[in-house]
Amino acid sequence: MDYLGFLFAANAFVWGGIIYYVFTLKQRNRALEKDLELLKETLSREG
Amino acid sequence: MMSSDAVEENEEESSILVWMTGLAFLAAIIAIFIYVPTERTEGVVQRIMYFHIPSAWLSFFAFFVVFICSILFLWKKEREWDIYAHASAEIGVIFCSLVLITGPIWARPIWGAWWVWDARLTSTLILWIIYVAYLMLRAQSEAGSMRARYAAVLGIVGFLDIPLIHFSVLWWRAFHPQPKVISSEGIGKGMEIGMLATLGISLCAFTLLYFLLMGVRVRQEKLKDEIDRLKRETLYSS
């Protein structure tokens, strides 16, 4: 039996899933950093 | 807020973990695609097992952490435990989804069907639905102790499905193969040594990945809390 296509598909989903999740974590990090920067600016403006 | 020393120490720890996880995955890929022999009856498609079982292990472990942290949250009422439970549930759902995707891909050439309403498959799908509901509950309701309490109860109840998943193939007639790693013959007795070693490496890599992702998610939640607190303070002071 040779089902290389199935093995490839399963691998693609696993790696795709992990990479997608890591990417969303990076995006969330960037959003939080942006939020923090804005907050710091507001605080420094208000003294 | 965390001191700069603590932040530096945290960053150093996570960079070590990144390297360890990367190396473990490299070793797992080499073992899966080069070292391990091809299984005689199922052929090359059986190699899906080395991703499928570790994904299942990781999701069950993540939901176990949700279970423990939810109990601790209900008992101690400390936000810290709620953060851990939330982060772990999210990771658990991701990997449970991968189990539900790789399982049918493996089943199609072996069973001739993508999906059967077998006890193990159905109970795993129920587990996934419970924890998706857990995340939806957290996303849809307002932040506060009530939301955390409802989520904790759901996190505890959801975990009770996991023993059912494990024993389902022993209690009922099922399509899904019986456990080979932890079987009645003993741990790892139902597998060839090369396969067992490869599975062990893959399990190690996925476990390290769990701790890496947990670290990032927990730090994010804590930072979000800190930002919300500062925003509230700014609002009240102005």
Side-chain angles (χ1 to χ4, degrees):
Chain A
M1 275 197 261
D2 197 6
Y3 293 110
L4 265 174
F6 287 94
L7 180 62
F8 175 78
N11 257 287
F13 273 111
V14 170
W15 288 108
I18 293 171
I19 290 166
Y20 173 75
Y21 185 56
V22 170
F23 178 71
T24 60
L25 288 182
K26 277 211 154 199
Q27 272 190 325
R28 272 189 238 176
N29 251 352
R30 228 171 283 155
L32 283 172
E33 275 166 20
K34 213 173 157 186
D35 242 16
L36 195 65
E37 283 304 311
L38 267 170
L39 201 62
K40 274 183 189 168
E41 262 179 47
T42 317
L43 285 172
S44 64
R45 235 183 289 136
E46 284 175 6
Chain B
M1 276 236 189
M2 272 197 274
S3 70
S4 61
D5 280 354
V7 171
E8 267 175 36
E9 206 174 293
N10 240 331
E11 278 173 5
E12 200 179 313
E13 272 173 22
S14 54
S15 74
I16 291 169
L17 199 53
V18 168
W19 275 103
M20 279 171 67
T21 312
L23 286 175
F25 267 103
L26 187 68
I29 288 167
I30 291 169
I32 294 166
F33 294 106
I34 298 167
Y35 165 70
V36 77
T38 303
E39 212 259 352
R40 254 172 283 159
T41 49
E42 293 186 14
V44 78
V45 78
Q46 183 269 346
R47 285 169 206 259
I48 292 175
M49 180 190 82
Y50 304 108
F51 293 109
H52 180 74
I53 293 180
S55 298
W57 149 253
L58 197 157
S59 67
F60 292 173
F61 182 67
F63 295 142
F64 175 67
V65 172
V66 178
F67 174 71
I68 296 293
C69 292
S70 298
I71 291 173
L72 285 169
F73 173 76
L74 290 177
W75 179 27
K76 301 200 167 187
K77 307 268 184 299
E78 288 168 4
R79 166 81 178 128
E80 183 102 5
W81 298 116
D82 185 44
I83 289 176
Y84 281 109
H86 183 195
S88 197
E90 196 179 281
I91 298 166
V93 166
I94 297 286
F95 284 89
C96 195
S97 308
L98 293 179
V99 173
L100 289 169
I101 293 169
T102 52
I105 295 173
W106 186 9
R108 181 68 182 87
I110 307 302
W111 299 345
W114 294 103
W115 184 270
V116 285
W117 292 101
D118 156 277
R120 177 163 279 189
L121 274 69
T122 310
S123 50
T124 308
L125 180 65
I126 291 169
L127 182 77
W128 182 81
I129 292 169
I130 291 170
Y131 282 97
V132 167
Y134 174 97
L135 293 179
M136 282 168 76
L137 172 75
R138 301 200 67 113
Q140 298 303 318
S141 49
E142 265 180 52
S145 67
M146 274 313 272
R147 179 184 77 172
R149 232 176 291 167
Y150 287 141
V153 171
L154 193 56
I156 294 166
V157 173
F159 181 75
L160 302 179
D161 188 33
I162 291 181
L164 193 73
I165 295 172
H166 181 74
F167 291 109
S168 61
V169 287
L170 303 171
W171 291 342
W172 299 291
R173 246 173 20 155
F175 265 83
H176 195 283
Q178 298 229 339
K180 285 199 175 99
V181 183
I182 304 168
S183 64
S184 53
E185 297 162 39
I187 295 175
K189 293 276 167 65
M191 283 177 97
E192 194 260 338
I193 190 75
M195 290 179 167
L196 194 65
T198 305
L199 185 60
I201 295 168
S202 196
L203 283 168
C204 247
F206 275 76
T207 310
L208 285 170
L209 181 65
Y210 169 78
F211 287 110
L212 184 66
L213 295 174
M214 262 301 267
V216 174
R217 273 304 281 126
V218 168
R219 271 200 297 279
Q220 280 183 349
E221 283 297 310
K222 285 184 177 173
L223 184 61
K224 198 165 162 262
D225 274 9
E226 196 64 33
I227 291 170
D228 287 344
R229 190 184 62 81
L230 285 171
K231 272 182 185 168
R232 273 197 307 274
E233 276 181 14
T234 322
L235 200 71
Y236 289 134
S237 65
S238 61

